[in-house]
């Protein structure tokens, strides 16, 4: 799953555009106990002059009674598809203020995607599967990455400049202060970052029954 | 204890007493056990109730939590909460709260701010009071407890998160803890439930108002989870106190009265069973005891009857048990005793020879007569029985008596009694007899005897003489009556008139004599009869040649009784026949004794007519002579002239026999009787004793002197020696010696004296 996410489009496109003189950062996210933290969002906000990112699409599947991926980071204005890969219906909802919506019981792919046009944190749930949980972090900047299972997140093709490095996690216990970052054109900076994360599995997913439901 | 005198009561009392003891013991044990069991059981029940209560509370909490969770998961609820619109949120809280009966609903922010409160909808947000509870909910996703709200009212509250799908808020649902709550738990746990706040005050209770009021006065603070005794308005409880949340406690109480009720019921049943069984036992053991004691009492009554002499068979006890065996043995014993008594009675009251009642029996019947009764006693004595007995032997004599007895029995009137008194003497006792009918009866008796009696082909003529005495005219005392009848019988015999009445004979001997009869027999046994000896003097030789033995009665009370006062009576009654043989033996012994000492005296003995007629006399004399080694001439038998005349022929025959063995014989009182000279001449006697009436009047009456003189001559002519007795003076003595009288006897010579004095007297006389 994480590898798939690493191939996120915005990063690739940005990398391709600024290939000649691009800097990169790598963050290693761990818990205070030193355990790598997956699904942590590493976001670089430029200190000034936010570039206007292109409209993009993203997909959050429902497969095996789970949202996939667990965390999706998108820039503001991204439309997200919610294709249903399960043989039964789902009822995706969000009560999060940046984007309250509801896709009532549906199969396959809903008619149209949901547009995430406000930045913020959106929690997604399924009304008929309480354990299903997904998070969408809607950001302004095009520079962000999600940590993999090894806790590592890398952002490439960064123009030189001043940034604030934000670390966020859906289950973070406390807000982590932004880190100021100065990037030279060919820098490849590394950050060891610490975030205290609550464990998941608030609602246990029951094992599928004989019919796979 | 009189109760225990009777076997029946004793058995019953012992049985019933034992049962009562056992029952009381059982009731006591059951009562004590009940108390222990009730104590233990109610503690156990309370402990169980307390556990149960805790479980119920826990389950209740979980149910509420679950219900709250479900409610919080409701999409519409979450959607409405998400709107954040105050009116909408409050409305959905009320609506959804009512679904699970929550009376209070709150929405808390994730950091514990009360955002909405249905009780105070307008209030701005404020901090939730029960942060600890919230903290626990954060840990455990949900929590619940009983708390006191601001108004001090207890609520059971639960806190659950609102998940969308991550925790976005908390919802608090509250359920008031009220009486209905307590009552519900009371029903489920079986205990009385009361909720008290830590600050005091009863917040809810299942107790009725009166007890609830009483509970306020109780020091329930002392209670803990250990059961303790508690008294509420007179009722007793076991009680525990459990924490109900952190601000309240719950009191759980178990009524002892209710626990005891089942045991009280059991005890009542037991008591009734005990009472019934004691009652049954009383009846049963009395019945059993009666069945045991009944036959025993029956036997006791039978034994008492036996004691009184009633040997009639007792009603048998036919039980097959020991009592029955006892009764059977008892019956055998009774039969044995009855048979023996009958035998003893027969021996005592029956004449063995004839089978007739004996004298004792007759006497008893006489004694049984009352003062108003009339009866006659008839005494029958056979004439001439002794000669028959002597001549034909005792066997024939006995047969004769038996036959006479049976013949008399045939004519005995109804209701009369025939007894054999002794020897040949029979007696009738006939009640309600008048003199005339008595005389007719006597005639019939005599008539019956006239017919000859056949014994072994030998025909015997018998006759009898009858004497009759009437009760009560002739006496009331049985001895007197019998004696008077006997006297009348003797008189009849003497007069040969067959029958005489006592009244005709007169009173008979004076009472003194009557009583003598019984005493004579005793005198004989006690040797009160003694012999005095009066010397007989040979007048010519002036030498004592013999002595006449004279009978004296040394009576212990009356002193010396002269022979004239009892000899005639002894002769009349026949008792003389028992006296004479003794006298003869004494005389023979005395003669032998004196002869040994050189006193060659001829001792004379007096014989009565009866003695003379006794056929055993000759044999007796022979035996005496032989026993004492006497020559026959040493003894002389004196017989009065009148005695001879009773049966002259038999007397003559016996005298001949006596003379035959060499005994000297003397005619006594000669001149007073009517013996003819011809008869005298035929008698084989050796001596004549002139009646002393002639001698006494010698000096006065020339006629008597002439008689004496001629009698002496006559005696000498017949070859007899002549004895004069009653000599009282020297003159008489001289005269008698002059007329040739051989032997003299009298006071002038010597008075009769005891044998011991006689030899002394003889020695003295020889010295003169």
């Amino acid at each position: 799953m994480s590898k798939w996410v690493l191939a996120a489009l915005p990063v690739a496109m940005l990398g391709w555009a600024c290939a000649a003189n691009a800097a990169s950062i790598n963050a290693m996210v761990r818990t205070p106990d030193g355990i790598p933290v997956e699904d942590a969002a590493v976001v670089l906000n430029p200190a000034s002059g936010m570039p206007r990112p292109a409209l993009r699409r993203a997909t959050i599947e429902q497969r095996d009674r789970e949202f996939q991926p667990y965390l999706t980071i998108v820039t503001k204005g991204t439309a997200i598809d919610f294709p249903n890969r399960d043989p039964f219906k789902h009822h995706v909802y969000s009560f999060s203020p940046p984007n309250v919506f509801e896709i009532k019981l549906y199969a396959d792919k809903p008619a149209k995607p949901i547009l995430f046009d406000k930045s913020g944190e959106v929690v997604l749930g399924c009304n008929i599967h309480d354990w299903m949980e997904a998070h969408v972090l809607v950001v302004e900047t095009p520079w962000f990455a999600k940590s993999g299972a090894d806790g590592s997140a890398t952002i490439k093709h960064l123009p030189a400049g001043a940034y604030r490095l934000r670390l966020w996690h859906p289950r973070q216990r406390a807000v982590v202060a932004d880190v100021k970052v100065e990037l030279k054109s060919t820098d490849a900076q590394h950050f060891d970052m610490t975030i205290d994360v609550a464990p998941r599995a608030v609602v246990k997913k029951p094992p599928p029954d004989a019919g796979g439901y | 204890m009189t109760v225990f005198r009777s076997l029946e009561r004793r058995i019953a009392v012992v049985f019933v007493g034992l049962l009562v003891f056992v029952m009381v013991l059982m009731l006591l044990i059951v009562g004590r056990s009940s108390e222990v069991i009730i104590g233990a059981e109610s503690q156990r029940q309370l402990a169980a109730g307390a556990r149960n209560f805790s479980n119920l509370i826990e389950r209740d909490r979980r149910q509420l939590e679950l219900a709250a969770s479900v409610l919080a998961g409701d999409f519409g609820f979450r959607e409405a909460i998400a709107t954040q619109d105050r009116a909408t949120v409050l409305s959905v809280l009320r609506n959804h709260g009512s679904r699970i009966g929550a009376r209070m609903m709150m929405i808390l922010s994730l950091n514990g701010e009360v955002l909405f409160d249905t009780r105070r909808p307008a209030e701005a947000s404020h901090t939730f009071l029960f942060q600890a509870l919230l903290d626990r909910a954060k840990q455990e996703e949900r929590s619940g407890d009983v708390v006191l709200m601001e108004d001090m009212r207890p609520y059971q509250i639960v806190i659950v998160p609102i998940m969308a799908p991550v925790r976005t808020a908390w919802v608090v649902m509250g359920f008031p803890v009220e009486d209905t709550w307590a009552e519900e738990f009371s029903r489920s746990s079986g205990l009385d439930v009361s909720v008290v706040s830590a600050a005091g005050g009863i917040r809810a209770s299942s107790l009725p108002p009166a007890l609830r009021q009483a509970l306020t006065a109780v020091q329930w603070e002392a209670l803990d989870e250990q059961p303790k005794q508690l008294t509420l308005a007179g009722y007793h409880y076991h009680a525990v106190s459990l924490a109900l949340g952190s601000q309240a406690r719950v009191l759980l109480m178990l009524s002892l009265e209710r626990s005891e009720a089942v045991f009280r019921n059991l005890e009542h049943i037991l008591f009734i069973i005990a009472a019934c069984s004691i009652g049954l036992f009383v009846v049963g053991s009395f019945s059993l005891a009666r069945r045991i004691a009944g036959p025993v009492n029956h036997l006791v009554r039978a034994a008492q009857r036996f004691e009184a002499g009633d040997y009639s068979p007792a009603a048998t006890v036919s039980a097959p048990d020991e009592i029955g065996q006892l009764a059977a043995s008892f019956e055998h014993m009774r039969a044995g005793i009855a048979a023996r008594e009958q035998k003893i009675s027969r021996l005592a009251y029956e004449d063995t020879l004839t089978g007739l009642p004996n004298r004792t029996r007759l006497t008893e019947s006489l004694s049984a007569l009352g003062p108003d009764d009339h009866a006659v006693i008839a005494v029958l004595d056979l004439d001439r029985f002794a000669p028959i007995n002597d001549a034909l032997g005792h066997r024939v004599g006995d047969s004769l008596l038996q036959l006479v007895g049976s013949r008399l029995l045939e004519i005995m009137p109804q209701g009369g009694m025939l007894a054999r008194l002794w020897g040949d003497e029979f007696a009738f006792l006939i009640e309600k007899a008048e003199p005339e009918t008595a005389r007719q009866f006597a005639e019939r008796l005599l008539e019956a005897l006239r017919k000859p009696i056949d014994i072994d082909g030998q025909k015997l003529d018998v006759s009898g003489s009858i004497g009759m005495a009437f009760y009560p005219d002739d006496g009331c005392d049985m001895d007197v009556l019998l004696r008077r009848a006997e006297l009348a019988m003797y008189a009849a015999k003497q007069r040969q008139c067959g029958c005489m009445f006592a009244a005709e004979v007169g009173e008979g001997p004076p009472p003194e004599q009557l009583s003598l009869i019984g005493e004579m027999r005793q005198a004989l046994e006690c040797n009160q009869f003694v012999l005095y000896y009066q010397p007989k003097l040979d007048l010519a030789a002036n030498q004592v040649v013999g002595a006449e033995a004279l009978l004296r009665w040394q009576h212990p009370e009356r002193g010396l009784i002269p022979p004239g006062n009892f000899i005639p009576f002894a002769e009349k009654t026949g008792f003389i026949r028992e006296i004479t043989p003794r006298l003869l033996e004494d005389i023979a012994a005395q003669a032998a004794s004196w002869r040994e000492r050189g006193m060659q005296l001829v001792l004379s003995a007096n014989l009565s007519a009866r003695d003379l007629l006794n056929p055993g006399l000759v044999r007796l004399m022979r035996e005496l002579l032989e026993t004492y080694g006497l020559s026959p001439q040493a003894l002389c038998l004196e017989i009065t002239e009148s005695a001879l005349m009773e049966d002259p022929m038999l007397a003559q025959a016996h005298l001949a026999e006596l003379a035959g063995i060499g005994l000297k014989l003397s005619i006594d009182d000669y001149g007073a009787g009517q013996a003819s000279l011809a008869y005298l001449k035929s008698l084989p006697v050796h001596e004549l004793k002139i009646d002393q009436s002639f001698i006494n009047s010698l000096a006065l009456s020339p006629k008597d002197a002439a008689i004496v003189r001629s009698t002496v001559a006559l005696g000498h002519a017949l070859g007899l020696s002549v004895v004069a007795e009653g000599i009282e003076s020297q003159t008489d003595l001289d005269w008698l010696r002059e007329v040739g009288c051989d032997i003299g006897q009298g006071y002038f010579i010597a008075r009769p004296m005891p044998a011991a004095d006689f030899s002394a007297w003889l020695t003295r006389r020889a010295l003169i």
Side-chain angles (χ1 to χ4, degrees):
Chain A
M1 150 174 94
S2 57
K3 285 194 166 50
W4 201 89
V5 172
L6 276 174
L9 274 174
V11 179
M13 290 167 72
L14 192 66
W16 176 76
C18 313
N21 58 344
S24 68
I25 63 160
N26 172 255
M28 191 63 204
V29 187
R30 286 191 171 86
T31 65
D33 297 336
I35 299 167
V37 175
E38 190 184 8
D39 287 334
V42 178
V43 177
L44 275 179
N45 288 305
S48 61
M50 183 69 68
R52 186 165 182 87
L55 288 179
R56 295 177 182 125
R57 285 185 83 109
T59 300
I60 297 174
E61 294 182 327
Q62 291 98 65
R63 182 192 297 272
D64 295 335
R65 299 177 295 159
E66 289 285 2
F67 285 110
Q68 299 217 350
Y70 174 69
L71 172 64
T72 305
I73 310 170
V74 295
T75 51
K76 192 164 69 178
T78 303
I80 300 177
D81 286 309
F82 291 89
N84 183 357
R85 311 294 183 202
D86 281 325
F88 40 78
K89 292 182 178 179
H90 287 286
H91 179 170
V92 177
Y93 70 86
S94 162
F95 295 134
S96 302
N99 197 356
V100 176
F101 71 93
E102 179 183 5
I103 310 172
K104 289 191 175 159
L105 287 170
Y106 68 97
D108 300 326
K109 196 175 176 181
K112 53 180 184 176
I114 302 294
L115 178 68
F116 285 75
D117 54 359
K118 283 182 196 155
S119 58
E121 300 142 21
V122 176
V123 186
L124 304 178
C126 174
N127 192 31
I128 60 176
H129 301 102
D130 285 354
W131 62 90
M132 285 174 68
E133 173 186 340
H135 295 265
V136 177
L137 181 64
V138 182
V139 294
E140 307 270 345
T141 174
W143 299 297
F144 52 82
K146 188 168 73 167
S147 64
D150 57 357
S152 166
T154 303
I155 308 172
K156 295 176 180 174
H157 311 298
L158 290 166
Y163 297 89
R164 280 180 292 110
L165 175 60
R166 178 186 176 201
L167 178 63
W168 178 86
H169 189 278
R171 303 196 301 276
Q172 67 183 20
R173 284 196 164 117
V175 174
V176 180
D178 291 354
V179 180
K180 284 184 176 169
V181 177
E182 286 290 334
L183 285 179
K184 305 272 187 327
S185 58
T186 55
D187 271 358
Q189 291 191 23
H190 178 80
F191 299 90
D192 280 317
M193 307 192 78
T194 303
I195 189 164
D196 192 6
V197 175
R200 207 188 152 190
V202 170
V203 180
K204 289 278 190 322
K205 174 185 172 186
D209 56 21
Y213 309 104
Chain B
M1 293 273 286
T2 48
V3 174
F4 292 111
R5 293 258 168 79
S6 126
L7 182 62
E8 185 179 314
R9 283 195 196 159
R10 198 159 55 202
I11 291 174
V13 165
V14 165
F15 272 73
V16 172
L18 277 177
L19 183 73
V20 167
F21 176 72
V22 168
M23 284 297 176
V24 166
L25 202 63
M26 188 192 72
L27 285 177
L28 285 179
I29 289 171
V30 166
R32 180 83 193 92
S33 304
S34 301
E35 275 176 31
V36 171
I37 291 171
I38 288 167
E41 178 60 20
S42 50
Q43 291 211 7
R44 193 198 62 75
Q45 202 180 337
L46 187 61
R51 273 197 308 279
N52 192 20
F53 178 80
S54 298
N55 292 339
L56 283 172
I57 286 287
E58 179 65 19
R59 199 188 66 188
D60 194 48
R61 184 175 63 79
R62 283 211 205 103
Q63 277 180 348
L64 284 176
E65 284 173 4
L66 188 66
S69 296
V70 169
L71 187 66
D74 182 84
F75 190 74
F77 179 76
R78 283 184 294 180
E79 205 170 20
I81 296 296
T83 62
Q84 301 278 325
D85 177 66
R86 188 161 202 87
T88 308
V89 169
L90 286 169
S91 183
V92 78
L93 283 177
R94 287 203 186 94
N95 175 63
H96 282 68
S98 70
R99 289 187 186 173
I100 59 169
R103 295 252 291 272
M104 180 271 281
M105 297 280 281
M106 288 182 197
I107 297 291
L108 306 183
S109 68
L110 286 177
N111 54 16
E113 286 287 302
V114 178
L115 304 176
F116 304 96
D117 185 341
T118 53
R119 293 176 305 154
R120 280 170 287 185
E123 202 163 295
S125 65
H126 56 275
T127 309
F128 183 52
L129 274 177
F130 312 104
Q131 284 297 326
L133 206 54
L134 183 61
D135 291 343
R136 213 171 79 216
K138 285 175 180 171
Q139 295 290 319
E140 301 169 4
E141 276 301 301
R142 61 182 67 167
S143 68
D145 202 356
V146 173
V147 297
L148 291 181
M149 286 295 174
E150 300 86 338
D151 57 0
M152 297 308 288
R153 292 175 64 184
Y155 273 78
Q156 182 166 28
I157 60 173
V158 291
I159 304 177
V160 294
I162 298 172
M163 304 294 282
V166 296
R167 187 186 293 157
T168 53
W170 299 98
V171 60
V172 179
M173 305 183 196
F175 307 86
V177 173
E178 294 171 326
D179 288 352
T180 49
W181 181 93
E183 282 155 13
E184 190 181 328
F185 277 107
S186 174
R187 275 196 299 278
S188 308
S189 63
L191 304 173
D192 283 312
V193 177
S194 302
V195 176
V196 293
S197 66
I202 294 154
R203 300 298 164 190
S205 179
S206 64
L207 292 171
L211 288 176
R212 185 184 308 211
Q213 188 59 38
L215 187 60
T216 58
V218 167
Q219 296 289 318
W220 55 266
E221 292 87 348
L223 294 174
D224 53 22
E225 293 177 13
Q226 287 303 310
K228 290 194 175 61
Q229 283 259 18
L230 192 67
T231 304
L232 266 193
Y235 295 102
H236 297 86
Y237 293 88
H238 274 300
V240 294
S241 161
L242 305 177
L244 188 64
S246 53
Q247 295 168 299
R249 294 189 75 77
V250 64
L251 297 184
L252 302 177
M253 301 193 297
L254 178 71
S255 166
L256 283 180
E257 276 78 9
R258 222 178 301 157
S259 303
E260 284 170 356
V262 65
F263 283 93
R264 293 284 167 264
N265 198 24
L266 176 71
E267 279 176 5
H268 285 154
I269 291 171
L270 268 180
F271 186 78
I272 290 167
I273 289 173
C276 287
S277 45
I278 286 171
L280 282 176
F281 234 70
V282 167
V283 172
S285 36
F286 264 105
S287 147
L288 175 69
R290 196 160 296 145
R291 280 173 61 182
I292 293 173
V296 172
N297 288 338
H298 181 74
L299 293 179
V300 168
R301 282 192 296 275
Q304 284 165 350
R305 277 200 297 111
F306 296 171
E307 190 184 351
D310 178 3
Y311 290 98
S312 59
T316 53
V317 176
S318 57
D321 53 14
E322 289 86 343
I323 299 285
Q325 291 165 16
L326 176 64
S329 305
F330 200 76
E331 174 59 20
H332 290 150
M333 187 179 81
R334 181 204 63 77
I337 290 176
R340 279 195 295 283
E341 172 144 321
Q342 207 175 6
K343 190 175 169 189
I344 290 167
S345 160
R346 203 170 58 237
L347 288 174
Y349 290 108
E350 199 176 84
D351 174 48
T352 47
L353 178 63
T354 59
L356 294 172
N358 60 12
R359 188 189 183 95
T360 312
R361 179 82 186 78
L362 180 78
T363 307
E364 280 197 358
S365 295
L366 268 172
S367 325
L369 291 175
D372 299 330
D373 289 328
H374 290 272
V376 63
I377 293 286
V379 174
L380 169 79
D381 190 86
L382 295 181
D383 297 334
R384 306 171 51 79
F385 175 72
I388 291 170
N389 207 20
D390 292 338
L392 302 176
H394 287 289
R395 202 182 56 78
V396 174
D398 288 349
S399 298
L400 177 63
L401 289 174
Q402 286 168 345
L403 290 167
V404 167
S406 54
R407 189 174 284 187
L408 293 177
L409 211 50
E410 284 168 18
I411 60 161
M412 186 181 68
Q414 190 72 29
M417 175 185 275
L418 170 62
R420 178 174 170 238
L421 298 183
W422 57 54
D424 56 344
E425 202 169 303
F426 295 87
F428 286 90
L429 169 64
I430 299 158
E431 293 186 40
K432 300 183 181 65
E434 296 302 318
E436 196 45 45
T437 53
R439 190 174 289 284
Q440 286 168 6
F441 174 66
E443 292 299 331
R444 286 216 308 282
L445 270 183
L446 294 172
E447 180 60 36
L449 285 178
R450 265 181 213 123
K451 209 169 80 184
I453 290 174
D454 193 329
I455 297 174
D456 300 337
Q458 235 180 330
K459 289 206 187 298
L460 294 174
D461 283 318
V462 290
S463 63
S465 301
I466 298 167
M468 287 186 165
F470 288 93
Y471 173 93
D473 299 345
D474 294 325
C476 292
D477 181 74
M478 69 207 89
D479 278 338
V480 172
L481 269 180
L482 209 52
R483 182 47 47 197
R484 291 199 61 180
E486 281 182 329
L487 287 174
M489 180 270 290
Y490 287 129
K493 193 173 284 257
Q494 250 175 353
R495 296 183 197 174
Q496 298 183 342
C497 62
C499 173
M500 283 198 79
F501 286 173
E504 296 168 341
V505 179
E507 287 295 316
E512 184 189 64
Q513 282 192 353
L514 281 178
S515 64
L516 284 180
I517 297 166
E519 292 178 12
M520 277 197 296
R521 196 174 295 275
Q522 199 183 355
L524 194 61
E525 288 166 7
C526 301
N527 290 321
Q528 289 172 11
F529 290 122
V530 293
L531 286 168
Y532 275 48
Y533 292 92
Q534 189 172 38
K536 287 169 101 173
L537 185 70
D538 185 322
L539 294 179
N542 195 26
Q543 194 178 347
V544 175
V545 294
E548 184 183 2
L550 295 165
L551 184 60
R552 294 291 185 271
W553 184 354
Q554 191 66 51
H555 194 280
E557 287 154 25
R558 300 183 208 170
L560 205 61
I561 299 175
N565 284 8
F566 68 95
I567 293 291
F569 200 71
E571 285 181 354
K572 274 187 193 170
T573 57
F575 188 66
I576 196 73
R577 282 189 294 199
E578 293 183 46
I579 300 177
T580 305
R582 282 272 202 98
L583 298 187
L584 288 174
E585 180 162 8
D586 284 353
I587 292 166
Q590 190 63 60
S593 165
W594 278 340
R595 275 172 190 269
E596 253 176 47
R597 290 156 60 184
M599 294 158 70
Q600 301 293 328
L601 297 173
V602 176
L603 298 188
S604 300
N606 290 289
L607 288 186
S608 70
R610 277 179 180 268
D611 296 327
L612 181 61
L613 298 178
N614 181 1
L617 180 63
V618 177
R619 194 173 65 241
L620 174 67
M621 292 313 296
R622 274 212 192 93
E623 286 169 4
L624 287 177
L625 291 176
E626 204 174 309
T627 305
Y628 294 98
L630 288 173
S631 74
Q633 288 80 17
L635 297 178
C636 174
L637 299 177
E638 295 186 6
I639 303 107
T640 58
E641 196 184 1
S642 58
L644 288 170
M645 294 320 290
E646 275 203 9
D647 193 340
M649 298 310 290
L650 192 59
Q652 190 182 15
H654 278 184
L655 283 179
E657 277 189 71
L658 291 170
I661 59 173
L663 289 167
K664 287 186 75 175
L665 299 173
S666 173
I667 306 285
D668 205 0
D669 299 343
Y670 180 73
Q674 292 96 30
S676 67
L677 279 175
Y679 178 65
L680 270 184
K681 192 181 73 165
S682 68
L683 294 176
V685 297
H686 309 95
E687 191 179 87
L688 270 184
K689 285 186 88 168
I690 301 168
D691 190 86
Q692 59 183 337
S693 60
F694 295 106
I695 308 301
N696 290 345
S697 54
L698 270 181
L700 307 172
S701 163
K703 280 185 186 173
D704 285 351
I707 289 167
V708 171
R709 190 196 304 268
S710 58
T711 303
V712 170
L714 176 69
H716 287 166
L718 291 171
L720 307 173
S721 64
V722 179
V723 180
E725 55 182 339
I727 298 172
E728 294 185 347
S729 65
Q730 185 68 49
T731 317
D732 294 343
L733 181 68
D734 291 343
W735 187 82
L736 287 167
R737 186 182 286 135
E738 213 165 290
V739 298
C741 184
D742 303 287
I743 293 169
Q745 187 181 346
Y747 283 181
F748 180 70
I749 300 165
R751 286 171 173 266
M753 61 192 92
D757 298 344
F758 195 88
S759 53
W761 174 82
L762 205 58
T763 311
R764 261 202 322 278
R765 189 178 182 283
L767 291 175
I768 293 170

